[in-house]
Amino acid sequence: MSEQTPASTPAASGTPGGVPVPKRVRVHHLAQMKERGEPITMLTAYDAVTGRIFDEAGIDMLLVGDSIGNTMLGLHGTIPVTLDEMIPAARAVTGAAHRAMVVADLPFGSYEASPQHAFASAARMLKEGGVHAVKLEGGERIAEHVRLLSQSGIPVVGHLGFTPQSENSLGGARVQGRGDEAAERLVQDAVALQEAGAVAVVLEMVPAPVAERATEVLHIPTIGIGAGPGCDGQVLVWTDMAGMTAWAPRFARKFGDVGAALYTATRTYAGAVRERTFPGPEHTFAE
Ligand code: KIV
């Protein structure tokens, strides 16, 4: 496990039975990483299998994103995703991740109506999903929601720029914050979230100079996705990162070809069954 815990982030907290238990990444670690200029790593995860792998690989923050809609549930976008669909995914990831901070999206329709609406959904996400923080989309308009959650002991990650839950009013997946006025509004929104108590802000599809400016102005970390290298951290949807999809957005890089490896393994398994070379004696109980 020691290899899986980067030196810069929390070290193992103990060694019960000789197995080092990694210390959980907490809100104050994110602040320290920003202060020290250490990039924060974040990746989506929707189940225990990938949650465990990404946690062991040393990812600092796992996001149970509402992108589960398009990546796992076969839905068109994030808008149809419900809290009842998100909670079991969150529980699976939190059950598997020992070191990463697990953050879950509050899905569309589960928080917008009022701060109390947001609190009821966030409380379920913490109690039933076991997550350590929730993510909400929006700026000033949800600042009071963020304030109530923060004051109630629920860490909140903001999400600005292209916010997929508003794709219908934004006219699709488009870069946000272009032009002086829009850029200024985005930075103001980020400051409003910080003042309300947010612990970090995701910036999605934002021009790099605007993300850099927000990163400079804020004392909480910015986590970019399609927002250039100037953010305090980066997040990707894991299926884009690992090459599981035929198409990925321009801002995503494919760091592996897991989809192709899975395809090959599947074909090989099916071939072995058809040729009766699997199961072999070593997979068979004689009596
Ligand atoms: O749901 C998600 O995967 C997200 C990321 C795009 C940041 O919100």
Side-chain angles (χ1 to χ4, degrees):
M1 274 285 191
S2 51
E3 191 198 336
Q4 295 143 4
T5 305
S8 55
T9 48
S13 61
T15 53
V19 181
V21 178
K23 203 167 151 190
R24 180 76 66 190
V25 176
R26 302 272 184 193
V27 165
H28 66 278
H29 296 125
L30 303 182
Q32 287 166 0
M33 288 173 81
K34 173 163 180 133
E35 238 176 71
R36 295 197 289 249
E38 287 169 23
I40 298 166
T41 56
M42 189 185 208
L43 204 53
T44 65
Y46 315 104
D47 59 31
V49 174
T50 54
R52 182 185 59 76
I53 294 171
F54 303 154
D55 188 56
E56 289 183 355
I59 293 294
D60 302 311
M61 300 173 82
L62 293 179
L63 173 64
V64 185
D66 55 3
S67 52
I68 191 173
N70 26 302
T71 55
M72 299 290 147
L73 301 181
L75 301 171
H76 296 293
T78 63
I79 290 171
V81 175
T82 66
L83 195 56
D84 286 338
E85 286 167 331
M86 291 288 295
I87 286 173
R91 197 171 48 224
V93 175
T94 55
H98 300 292
R99 176 184 168 276
M101 173 188 289
V102 182
V103 183
D105 269 323
L106 290 191
F108 179 69
S110 74
Y111 64 96
E112 297 88 340
S114 65
Q116 289 70 25
H117 188 211
F119 177 77
S121 298
R124 278 196 67 197
M125 197 54 101
L126 263 74
K127 285 162 98 76
E128 298 172 45
V131 302
H132 312 113
V134 295
K135 179 163 81 58
L136 274 63
E137 295 185 3
E140 264 176 26
R141 82 183 158 84
I142 57 141
E144 285 315 306
H145 304 48
V146 174
R147 196 178 313 282
L148 177 63
L149 298 193
S150 304
Q151 288 174 347
S152 307
I154 304 174
V156 178
V157 175
H159 186 155
L160 295 171
F162 173 62
T163 45
Q165 293 175 10
S166 305
E167 64 164 305
N168 292 319
S169 48
L170 295 176
R174 304 159 75 109
V175 175
Q176 302 295 311
R178 276 198 169 128
D180 291 349
E181 209 178 298
E184 196 43 44
R185 208 175 324 121
L186 190 138
V187 174
Q188 272 173 20
D189 275 334
V191 170
L193 292 175
Q194 172 176 274
E195 285 174 355
V199 299
V201 184
V202 167
L203 299 176
E204 180 167 356
M205 293 182 76
V206 170
V210 181
E212 259 176 55
R213 169 142 170 71
T215 303
E216 246 171 55
V217 167
L218 296 180
H219 61 75
I220 57 172
T222 57
I223 316 278
I225 175 164
C231 294
D232 296 304
Q234 297 292 327
V235 56
L236 280 179
V237 170
W238 88 259
T239 46
D240 295 337
M241 181 278 300
M244 293 290 287
T245 51
W247 177 89
R250 180 165 93 79
F251 55 74
R253 192 200 290 177
K254 188 166 131 178
F255 288 86
D257 219 341
V258 180
L262 191 54
Y263 177 84
T264 302
T266 308
R267 294 278 298 183
T268 309
Y269 158 72
V273 171
R274 288 182 190 122
E275 288 161 13
R276 298 192 183 280
T277 56
F278 176 83
E282 70 276 33
H283 311 116
T284 304
F285 303 102
E287 300 257 348

PDB file of all heavy atoms in Angstrom, residues 255-286:
ATOM      1  N   PHE A 255      -5.580   7.346 -21.479  1.00  0.00           N
ATOM      2  CA  PHE A 255      -4.328   6.909 -20.852  1.00  0.00           C
ATOM      3  C   PHE A 255      -4.149   5.388 -20.899  1.00  0.00           C
ATOM      4  O   PHE A 255      -3.167   4.873 -20.379  1.00  0.00           O
ATOM      5  CB  PHE A 255      -4.277   7.380 -19.396  1.00  0.00           C
ATOM      6  CG  PHE A 255      -4.066   8.872 -19.273  1.00  0.00           C
ATOM      7  CD1 PHE A 255      -5.132   9.751 -19.306  1.00  0.00           C
ATOM      8  CD2 PHE A 255      -2.783   9.390 -19.155  1.00  0.00           C
ATOM      9  CE1 PHE A 255      -4.937  11.117 -19.213  1.00  0.00           C
ATOM     10  CE2 PHE A 255      -2.575  10.756 -19.057  1.00  0.00           C
ATOM     11  CZ  PHE A 255      -3.651  11.622 -19.090  1.00  0.00           C
ATOM     12  N   GLY A 256      -5.104   4.697 -21.474  1.00  0.00           N
ATOM     13  CA  GLY A 256      -5.005   3.246 -21.577  1.00  0.00           C
ATOM     14  C   GLY A 256      -6.046   2.745 -22.554  1.00  0.00           C
ATOM     15  O   GLY A 256      -6.880   3.522 -23.040  1.00  0.00           O
ATOM     16  N   ASP A 257      -5.977   1.450 -22.861  1.00  0.00           N
ATOM     17  CA  ASP A 257      -6.929   0.869 -23.811  1.00  0.00           C
ATOM     18  C   ASP A 257      -7.668  -0.285 -23.132  1.00  0.00           C
ATOM     19  O   ASP A 257      -7.626  -1.423 -23.584  1.00  0.00           O
ATOM     20  CB  ASP A 257      -6.181   0.408 -25.063  1.00  0.00           C
ATOM     21  CG  ASP A 257      -6.994   0.696 -26.315  1.00  0.00           C
ATOM     22  OD1 ASP A 257      -8.226   0.889 -26.174  1.00  0.00           O
ATOM     23  OD2 ASP A 257      -6.412   0.706 -27.409  1.00  0.00           O
ATOM     24  N   VAL A 258      -8.308   0.048 -22.024  1.00  0.00           N
ATOM     25  CA  VAL A 258      -8.952  -0.984 -21.202  1.00  0.00           C
ATOM     26  C   VAL A 258     -10.117  -1.626 -21.940  1.00  0.00           C
ATOM     27  O   VAL A 258     -10.349  -2.832 -21.823  1.00  0.00           O
ATOM     28  CB  VAL A 258      -9.418  -0.377 -19.856  1.00  0.00           C
ATOM     29  CG1 VAL A 258     -10.093  -1.418 -18.977  1.00  0.00           C
ATOM     30  CG2 VAL A 258      -8.225   0.229 -19.120  1.00  0.00           C
ATOM     31  N   GLY A 259     -10.814  -0.851 -22.753  1.00  0.00           N
ATOM     32  CA  GLY A 259     -11.936  -1.385 -23.526  1.00  0.00           C
ATOM     33  C   GLY A 259     -11.447  -2.486 -24.460  1.00  0.00           C
ATOM     34  O   GLY A 259     -12.055  -3.560 -24.551  1.00  0.00           O
ATOM     35  N   ALA A 260     -10.315  -2.243 -25.132  1.00  0.00           N
ATOM     36  CA  ALA A 260      -9.774  -3.234 -26.070  1.00  0.00           C
ATOM     37  C   ALA A 260      -9.302  -4.471 -25.312  1.00  0.00           C
ATOM     38  O   ALA A 260      -9.503  -5.608 -25.765  1.00  0.00           O
ATOM     39  CB  ALA A 260      -8.629  -2.617 -26.871  1.00  0.00           C
ATOM     40  N   ALA A 261      -8.684  -4.257 -24.140  1.00  0.00           N
ATOM     41  CA  ALA A 261      -8.198  -5.396 -23.334  1.00  0.00           C
ATOM     42  C   ALA A 261      -9.379  -6.257 -22.869  1.00  0.00           C
ATOM     43  O   ALA A 261      -9.310  -7.493 -22.891  1.00  0.00           O
ATOM     44  CB  ALA A 261      -7.406  -4.878 -22.134  1.00  0.00           C
ATOM     45  N   LEU A 262     -10.463  -5.605 -22.497  1.00  0.00           N
ATOM     46  CA  LEU A 262     -11.656  -6.318 -22.028  1.00  0.00           C
ATOM     47  C   LEU A 262     -12.295  -7.108 -23.175  1.00  0.00           C
ATOM     48  O   LEU A 262     -12.735  -8.259 -23.013  1.00  0.00           O
ATOM     49  CB  LEU A 262     -12.647  -5.299 -21.452  1.00  0.00           C
ATOM     50  CG  LEU A 262     -13.845  -5.799 -20.683  1.00  0.00           C
ATOM     51  CD1 LEU A 262     -13.432  -6.727 -19.538  1.00  0.00           C
ATOM     52  CD2 LEU A 262     -14.636  -4.606 -20.118  1.00  0.00           C
ATOM     53  N   TYR A 263     -12.306  -6.500 -24.351  1.00  0.00           N
ATOM     54  CA  TYR A 263     -12.856  -7.152 -25.538  1.00  0.00           C
ATOM     55  C   TYR A 263     -12.049  -8.421 -25.835  1.00  0.00           C
ATOM     56  O   TYR A 263     -12.603  -9.504 -26.056  1.00  0.00           O
ATOM     57  CB  TYR A 263     -12.812  -6.180 -26.723  1.00  0.00           C
ATOM     58  CG  TYR A 263     -13.290  -6.771 -28.018  1.00  0.00           C
ATOM     59  CD1 TYR A 263     -14.650  -6.802 -28.334  1.00  0.00           C
ATOM     60  CD2 TYR A 263     -12.383  -7.326 -28.936  1.00  0.00           C
ATOM     61  CE1 TYR A 263     -15.097  -7.358 -29.526  1.00  0.00           C
ATOM     62  CE2 TYR A 263     -12.820  -7.881 -30.128  1.00  0.00           C
ATOM     63  CZ  TYR A 263     -14.176  -7.890 -30.428  1.00  0.00           C
ATOM     64  OH  TYR A 263     -14.607  -8.447 -31.595  1.00  0.00           O
ATOM     65  N   THR A 264     -10.717  -8.294 -25.801  1.00  0.00           N
ATOM     66  CA  THR A 264      -9.842  -9.435 -26.098  1.00  0.00           C
ATOM     67  C   THR A 264     -10.043 -10.542 -25.064  1.00  0.00           C
ATOM     68  O   THR A 264     -10.157 -11.730 -25.410  1.00  0.00           O
ATOM     69  CB  THR A 264      -8.369  -8.973 -26.126  1.00  0.00           C
ATOM     70  OG1 THR A 264      -8.256  -7.946 -27.098  1.00  0.00           O
ATOM     71  CG2 THR A 264      -7.415 -10.107 -26.474  1.00  0.00           C
ATOM     72  N   ALA A 265     -10.094 -10.159 -23.791  1.00  0.00           N
ATOM     73  CA  ALA A 265     -10.304 -11.159 -22.731  1.00  0.00           C
ATOM     74  C   ALA A 265     -11.635 -11.887 -22.945  1.00  0.00           C
ATOM     75  O   ALA A 265     -11.728 -13.118 -22.804  1.00  0.00           O
ATOM     76  CB  ALA A 265     -10.281 -10.485 -21.364  1.00  0.00           C
ATOM     77  N   THR A 266     -12.656 -11.155 -23.328  1.00  0.00           N
ATOM     78  CA  THR A 266     -13.991 -11.730 -23.519  1.00  0.00           C
ATOM     79  C   THR A 266     -14.000 -12.711 -24.695  1.00  0.00           C
ATOM     80  O   THR A 266     -14.551 -13.817 -24.614  1.00  0.00           O
ATOM     81  CB  THR A 266     -15.009 -10.597 -23.750  1.00  0.00           C
ATOM     82  OG1 THR A 266     -14.871  -9.642 -22.705  1.00  0.00           O
ATOM     83  CG2 THR A 266     -16.439 -11.110 -23.764  1.00  0.00           C
ATOM     84  N   ARG A 267     -13.359 -12.294 -25.793  1.00  0.00           N
ATOM     85  CA  ARG A 267     -13.288 -13.166 -26.975  1.00  0.00           C
ATOM     86  C   ARG A 267     -12.509 -14.441 -26.644  1.00  0.00           C
ATOM     87  O   ARG A 267     -12.872 -15.531 -27.057  1.00  0.00           O
ATOM     88  CB  ARG A 267     -12.568 -12.441 -28.134  1.00  0.00           C
ATOM     89  CG  ARG A 267     -13.313 -11.244 -28.668  1.00  0.00           C
ATOM     90  CD  ARG A 267     -14.376 -11.592 -29.641  1.00  0.00           C
ATOM     91  NE  ARG A 267     -13.834 -12.237 -30.830  1.00  0.00           N
ATOM     92  CZ  ARG A 267     -14.579 -12.587 -31.881  1.00  0.00           C
ATOM     93  NH1 ARG A 267     -15.882 -12.367 -31.846  1.00  0.00           N
ATOM     94  NH2 ARG A 267     -14.040 -13.158 -32.924  1.00  0.00           N
ATOM     95  N   THR A 268     -11.417 -14.277 -25.877  1.00  0.00           N
ATOM     96  CA  THR A 268     -10.571 -15.427 -25.534  1.00  0.00           C
ATOM     97  C   THR A 268     -11.346 -16.404 -24.647  1.00  0.00           C
ATOM     98  O   THR A 268     -11.303 -17.627 -24.840  1.00  0.00           O
ATOM     99  CB  THR A 268      -9.281 -14.935 -24.826  1.00  0.00           C
ATOM    100  OG1 THR A 268      -8.704 -13.909 -25.624  1.00  0.00           O
ATOM    101  CG2 THR A 268      -8.265 -16.043 -24.650  1.00  0.00           C
ATOM    102  N   TYR A 269     -12.082 -15.868 -23.672  1.00  0.00           N
ATOM    103  CA  TYR A 269     -12.907 -16.696 -22.781  1.00  0.00           C
ATOM    104  C   TYR A 269     -13.958 -17.465 -23.596  1.00  0.00           C
ATOM    105  O   TYR A 269     -14.089 -18.690 -23.484  1.00  0.00           O
ATOM    106  CB  TYR A 269     -13.578 -15.800 -21.729  1.00  0.00           C
ATOM    107  CG  TYR A 269     -14.803 -16.413 -21.111  1.00  0.00           C
ATOM    108  CD1 TYR A 269     -14.697 -17.485 -20.217  1.00  0.00           C
ATOM    109  CD2 TYR A 269     -16.077 -15.936 -21.433  1.00  0.00           C
ATOM    110  CE1 TYR A 269     -15.836 -18.064 -19.670  1.00  0.00           C
ATOM    111  CE2 TYR A 269     -17.213 -16.512 -20.887  1.00  0.00           C
ATOM    112  CZ  TYR A 269     -17.090 -17.580 -20.012  1.00  0.00           C
ATOM    113  OH  TYR A 269     -18.208 -18.150 -19.474  1.00  0.00           O
ATOM    114  N   ALA A 270     -14.667 -16.747 -24.452  1.00  0.00           N
ATOM    115  CA  ALA A 270     -15.729 -17.385 -25.241  1.00  0.00           C
ATOM    116  C   ALA A 270     -15.141 -18.479 -26.133  1.00  0.00           C
ATOM    117  O   ALA A 270     -15.719 -19.575 -26.271  1.00  0.00           O
ATOM    118  CB  ALA A 270     -16.465 -16.327 -26.067  1.00  0.00           C
ATOM    119  N   GLY A 271     -13.947 -18.182 -26.708  1.00  0.00           N
ATOM    120  CA  GLY A 271     -13.278 -19.175 -27.570  1.00  0.00           C
ATOM    121  C   GLY A 271     -12.919 -20.424 -26.774  1.00  0.00           C
ATOM    122  O   GLY A 271     -13.128 -21.561 -27.235  1.00  0.00           O
ATOM    123  N   ALA A 272     -12.404 -20.232 -25.558  1.00  0.00           N
ATOM    124  CA  ALA A 272     -11.987 -21.365 -24.718  1.00  0.00           C
ATOM    125  C   ALA A 272     -13.191 -22.225 -24.338  1.00  0.00           C
ATOM    126  O   ALA A 272     -13.105 -23.457 -24.306  1.00  0.00           O
ATOM    127  CB  ALA A 272     -11.264 -20.848 -23.475  1.00  0.00           C
ATOM    128  N   VAL A 273     -14.321 -21.582 -24.061  1.00  0.00           N
ATOM    129  CA  VAL A 273     -15.541 -22.342 -23.724  1.00  0.00           C
ATOM    130  C   VAL A 273     -15.987 -23.144 -24.945  1.00  0.00           C
ATOM    131  O   VAL A 273     -16.282 -24.340 -24.850  1.00  0.00           O
ATOM    132  CB  VAL A 273     -16.663 -21.390 -23.248  1.00  0.00           C
ATOM    133  CG1 VAL A 273     -17.995 -22.129 -23.118  1.00  0.00           C
ATOM    134  CG2 VAL A 273     -16.281 -20.741 -21.908  1.00  0.00           C
ATOM    135  N   ARG A 274     -15.980 -22.477 -26.086  1.00  0.00           N
ATOM    136  CA  ARG A 274     -16.440 -23.158 -27.316  1.00  0.00           C
ATOM    137  C   ARG A 274     -15.523 -24.314 -27.694  1.00  0.00           C
ATOM    138  O   ARG A 274     -15.973 -25.347 -28.191  1.00  0.00           O
ATOM    139  CB  ARG A 274     -16.535 -22.146 -28.467  1.00  0.00           C
ATOM    140  CG  ARG A 274     -17.713 -21.205 -28.272  1.00  0.00           C
ATOM    141  CD  ARG A 274     -17.888 -20.209 -29.402  1.00  0.00           C
ATOM    142  NE  ARG A 274     -18.886 -19.218 -29.019  1.00  0.00           N
ATOM    143  CZ  ARG A 274     -18.681 -17.909 -28.955  1.00  0.00           C
ATOM    144  NH1 ARG A 274     -17.508 -17.411 -29.294  1.00  0.00           N
ATOM    145  NH2 ARG A 274     -19.643 -17.112 -28.566  1.00  0.00           N
ATOM    146  N   GLU A 275     -14.225 -24.155 -27.441  1.00  0.00           N
ATOM    147  CA  GLU A 275     -13.260 -25.227 -27.781  1.00  0.00           C
ATOM    148  C   GLU A 275     -13.102 -26.239 -26.662  1.00  0.00           C
ATOM    149  O   GLU A 275     -12.269 -27.154 -26.732  1.00  0.00           O
ATOM    150  CB  GLU A 275     -11.884 -24.586 -28.078  1.00  0.00           C
ATOM    151  CG  GLU A 275     -11.835 -23.835 -29.382  1.00  0.00           C
ATOM    152  CD  GLU A 275     -10.670 -22.849 -29.425  1.00  0.00           C
ATOM    153  OE1 GLU A 275      -9.772 -22.932 -28.557  1.00  0.00           O
ATOM    154  OE2 GLU A 275     -10.694 -21.983 -30.314  1.00  0.00           O
ATOM    155  N   ARG A 276     -13.829 -26.044 -25.577  1.00  0.00           N
ATOM    156  CA  ARG A 276     -13.773 -26.916 -24.399  1.00  0.00           C
ATOM    157  C   ARG A 276     -12.380 -26.973 -23.780  1.00  0.00           C
ATOM    158  O   ARG A 276     -11.959 -27.981 -23.232  1.00  0.00           O
ATOM    159  CB  ARG A 276     -14.286 -28.320 -24.717  1.00  0.00           C
ATOM    160  CG  ARG A 276     -15.747 -28.329 -25.155  1.00  0.00           C
ATOM    161  CD  ARG A 276     -16.321 -29.742 -25.188  1.00  0.00           C
ATOM    162  NE  ARG A 276     -17.689 -29.746 -25.663  1.00  0.00           N
ATOM    163  CZ  ARG A 276     -18.751 -29.439 -24.896  1.00  0.00           C
ATOM    164  NH1 ARG A 276     -18.593 -29.117 -23.635  1.00  0.00           N
ATOM    165  NH2 ARG A 276     -19.960 -29.461 -25.410  1.00  0.00           N
ATOM    166  N   THR A 277     -11.612 -25.885 -23.877  1.00  0.00           N
ATOM    167  CA  THR A 277     -10.314 -25.839 -23.177  1.00  0.00           C
ATOM    168  C   THR A 277     -10.473 -25.168 -21.818  1.00  0.00           C
ATOM    169  O   THR A 277      -9.542 -25.094 -21.028  1.00  0.00           O
ATOM    170  CB  THR A 277      -9.256 -25.088 -24.014  1.00  0.00           C
ATOM    171  OG1 THR A 277      -9.755 -23.778 -24.305  1.00  0.00           O
ATOM    172  CG2 THR A 277      -8.941 -25.816 -25.292  1.00  0.00           C
ATOM    173  N   PHE A 278     -11.635 -24.612 -21.537  1.00  0.00           N
ATOM    174  CA  PHE A 278     -11.975 -24.076 -20.217  1.00  0.00           C
ATOM    175  C   PHE A 278     -13.333 -24.652 -19.833  1.00  0.00           C
ATOM    176  O   PHE A 278     -14.249 -24.653 -20.672  1.00  0.00           O
ATOM    177  CB  PHE A 278     -12.039 -22.545 -20.229  1.00  0.00           C
ATOM    178  CG  PHE A 278     -12.476 -22.011 -18.888  1.00  0.00           C
ATOM    179  CD1 PHE A 278     -11.572 -21.850 -17.859  1.00  0.00           C
ATOM    180  CD2 PHE A 278     -13.824 -21.721 -18.650  1.00  0.00           C
ATOM    181  CE1 PHE A 278     -11.985 -21.384 -16.614  1.00  0.00           C
ATOM    182  CE2 PHE A 278     -14.242 -21.263 -17.409  1.00  0.00           C
ATOM    183  CZ  PHE A 278     -13.320 -21.094 -16.392  1.00  0.00           C
ATOM    184  N   PRO A 279     -13.524 -25.120 -18.597  1.00  0.00           N
ATOM    185  CA  PRO A 279     -12.539 -25.201 -17.512  1.00  0.00           C
ATOM    186  C   PRO A 279     -11.582 -26.371 -17.675  1.00  0.00           C
ATOM    187  O   PRO A 279     -11.944 -27.409 -18.237  1.00  0.00           O
ATOM    188  CB  PRO A 279     -13.423 -25.405 -16.278  1.00  0.00           C
ATOM    189  CG  PRO A 279     -14.688 -26.016 -16.787  1.00  0.00           C
ATOM    190  CD  PRO A 279     -14.868 -25.549 -18.201  1.00  0.00           C
ATOM    191  N   GLY A 280     -10.342 -26.177 -17.173  1.00  0.00           N
ATOM    192  CA  GLY A 280      -9.345 -27.245 -17.170  1.00  0.00           C
ATOM    193  C   GLY A 280      -9.393 -27.977 -15.845  1.00  0.00           C
ATOM    194  O   GLY A 280     -10.190 -27.620 -14.960  1.00  0.00           O
ATOM    195  N   PRO A 281      -8.524 -28.985 -15.698  1.00  0.00           N
ATOM    196  CA  PRO A 281      -8.526 -29.772 -14.443  1.00  0.00           C
ATOM    197  C   PRO A 281      -8.308 -28.890 -13.218  1.00  0.00           C
ATOM    198  O   PRO A 281      -8.866 -29.152 -12.148  1.00  0.00           O
ATOM    199  CB  PRO A 281      -7.364 -30.750 -14.635  1.00  0.00           C
ATOM    200  CG  PRO A 281      -6.869 -30.584 -16.021  1.00  0.00           C
ATOM    201  CD  PRO A 281      -7.551 -29.438 -16.678  1.00  0.00           C
ATOM    202  N   GLU A 282      -7.479 -27.829 -13.361  1.00  0.00           N
ATOM    203  CA  GLU A 282      -7.178 -26.958 -12.206  1.00  0.00           C
ATOM    204  C   GLU A 282      -8.379 -26.127 -11.765  1.00  0.00           C
ATOM    205  O   GLU A 282      -8.379 -25.542 -10.686  1.00  0.00           O
ATOM    206  CB  GLU A 282      -5.951 -26.071 -12.490  1.00  0.00           C
ATOM    207  CG  GLU A 282      -6.162 -24.974 -13.538  1.00  0.00           C
ATOM    208  CD  GLU A 282      -5.988 -25.426 -14.997  1.00  0.00           C
ATOM    209  OE1 GLU A 282      -6.303 -26.586 -15.326  1.00  0.00           O
ATOM    210  OE2 GLU A 282      -5.573 -24.595 -15.816  1.00  0.00           O
ATOM    211  N   HIS A 283      -9.426 -26.042 -12.623  1.00  0.00           N
ATOM    212  CA  HIS A 283     -10.623 -25.281 -12.259  1.00  0.00           C
ATOM    213  C   HIS A 283     -11.776 -26.211 -11.864  1.00  0.00           C
ATOM    214  O   HIS A 283     -12.900 -25.798 -11.709  1.00  0.00           O
ATOM    215  CB  HIS A 283     -11.097 -24.422 -13.465  1.00  0.00           C
ATOM    216  CG  HIS A 283     -10.014 -23.631 -14.084  1.00  0.00           C
ATOM    217  ND1 HIS A 283      -9.572 -23.814 -15.380  1.00  0.00           N
ATOM    218  CD2 HIS A 283      -9.241 -22.641 -13.575  1.00  0.00           C
ATOM    219  CE1 HIS A 283      -8.587 -22.989 -15.641  1.00  0.00           C
ATOM    220  NE2 HIS A 283      -8.370 -22.259 -14.562  1.00  0.00           N
ATOM    221  N   THR A 284     -11.447 -27.500 -11.756  1.00  0.00           N
ATOM    222  CA  THR A 284     -12.491 -28.515 -11.598  1.00  0.00           C
ATOM    223  C   THR A 284     -12.366 -29.246 -10.271  1.00  0.00           C
ATOM    224  O   THR A 284     -11.241 -29.573  -9.864  1.00  0.00           O
ATOM    225  CB  THR A 284     -12.397 -29.515 -12.794  1.00  0.00           C
ATOM    226  OG1 THR A 284     -12.491 -28.776 -14.004  1.00  0.00           O
ATOM    227  CG2 THR A 284     -13.494 -30.581 -12.744  1.00  0.00           C
ATOM    228  N   PHE A 285     -13.490 -29.448  -9.576  1.00  0.00           N
ATOM    229  CA  PHE A 285     -13.505 -30.226  -8.325  1.00  0.00           C
ATOM    230  C   PHE A 285     -13.773 -31.693  -8.696  1.00  0.00           C
ATOM    231  O   PHE A 285     -14.802 -32.007  -9.311  1.00  0.00           O
ATOM    232  CB  PHE A 285     -14.597 -29.725  -7.390  1.00  0.00           C
ATOM    233  CG  PHE A 285     -14.439 -28.249  -7.074  1.00  0.00           C
ATOM    234  CD1 PHE A 285     -15.229 -27.282  -7.685  1.00  0.00           C
ATOM    235  CD2 PHE A 285     -13.463 -27.822  -6.168  1.00  0.00           C
ATOM    236  CE1 PHE A 285     -15.076 -25.953  -7.410  1.00  0.00           C
ATOM    237  CE2 PHE A 285     -13.289 -26.473  -5.890  1.00  0.00           C
ATOM    238  CZ  PHE A 285     -14.094 -25.533  -6.509  1.00  0.00           C
ATOM    239  N   ALA A 286     -12.837 -32.575  -8.350  1.00  0.00           N
ATOM    240  CA  ALA A 286     -12.952 -33.978  -8.774  1.00  0.00           C
ATOM    241  C   ALA A 286     -14.109 -34.684  -8.074  1.00  0.00           C
ATOM    242  O   ALA A 286     -14.815 -35.477  -8.675  1.00  0.00           O
ATOM    243  CB  ALA A 286     -11.635 -34.698  -8.504  1.00  0.00           C
TER     244      ALA A 286
END
